[in-house]
Amino acid sequence: MDPNTPPHPRAAAPQDPLVVYFSSISGNTAKFVAKLGFPTVRIPLRTGEDTPIMDRPFVLCVPTYGRPRSGETIPPQVMKFLREPRNRELMLGVMGAGNTNFGEDFGIAADKIAAKCQVPVLYKFELMGTSEDVTRVHEGLTAFWTRNCPPLPA
C-alpha cells in the first residue's frame, strides 16, 4: 500500500471521525492527518484568523511546539481554539505529534491538553508518522468513534 494513500478511502459521512488539527508551516501534522482519510478541520496558521467553532464531536491532533523545557509547548492557535467552550465540550480525545528527540517530553502538548480538558491521549506519532502509524490510528480511531459516537438515526 502506498503510505500516502488512506487505508480505506471512501466518501466522508457524518458518522465518520472528525479530526481537527493544527499544523505548522512544516506541514508534518497536515500530511499525517491527510493520510487518515477522515474529514478534517484545520486550525488556522495565524492567530489573527477566526478560530473554528465546532458543531459536532471531534478528536484534536496537535504537534508539540516551541520549547518543551520552557513550558511553551501548545501552539497559541490551539490555545485560542480551546478557549472556545463549545470546542472543549465536543473534544473526545487528543493525538500528539512530536519529535522523539524531546525524550520524556515527546508529544507533551497532547498530554497537557488531555489533562486540562479531561480527555484521553489516543495516540502519539513522530513528525509525519509512518505507514504503520497511519494504519494503527485509522483502525483505532474508527473503533473509538464507534464506541463514543453512535450513528445518528436515519
Side-chain angles (χ1 to χ4, degrees):
M1 173 189 294
D2 177 355
N4 294 318
T5 302
H8 305 285
R10 59 185 166 78
Q15 68 273 12
D16 285 338
L18 175 62
V19 179
V20 175
Y21 70 98
F22 175 76
S23 188
S24 66
I25 294 172
S26 74
N28 287 335
T29 306
K31 290 171 190 167
F32 178 80
V33 169
K35 293 176 197 176
L36 295 174
F38 295 129
T40 62
V41 172
R42 184 174 186 158
I43 296 171
L45 188 58
R46 291 170 181 69
T47 53
E49 295 179 46
D50 290 340
T51 197
I53 307 297
M54 304 312 300
D55 61 0
R56 73 177 185 106
F58 66 92
V59 168
L60 180 64
C61 187
V62 61
T64 294
Y65 188 80
R67 298 169 189 83
R69 296 280 179 213
S70 70
E72 298 172 8
T73 58
I74 301 172
Q77 300 88 330
V78 174
M79 297 295 288
K80 180 179 177 182
F81 174 80
L82 292 172
R83 279 195 286 275
E84 293 292 337
R86 186 75 175 144
N87 293 343
R88 290 190 311 276
E89 290 168 12
L90 291 171
M91 184 171 53
L92 299 177
V94 62
M95 297 184 293
N99 189 318
T100 55
N101 289 341
F102 289 152
E104 66 184 30
D105 291 333
F106 170 67
I108 196 168
D111 295 332
K112 288 182 175 185
I113 290 168
K116 181 78 172 173
C117 297
Q118 299 180 337
V119 298
V121 173
L122 301 174
Y123 198 81
K124 291 182 185 179
F125 58 94
E126 185 169 24
L127 302 174
M128 63 183 121
T130 65
S131 57
E132 182 180 320
D133 290 325
V134 171
T135 299
R136 291 181 73 187
V137 169
H138 190 278
E139 291 171 358
L141 192 50
T142 299
F144 177 81
W145 206 261
T146 301
R147 286 190 309 274
N148 290 284
C149 295
L152 300 171

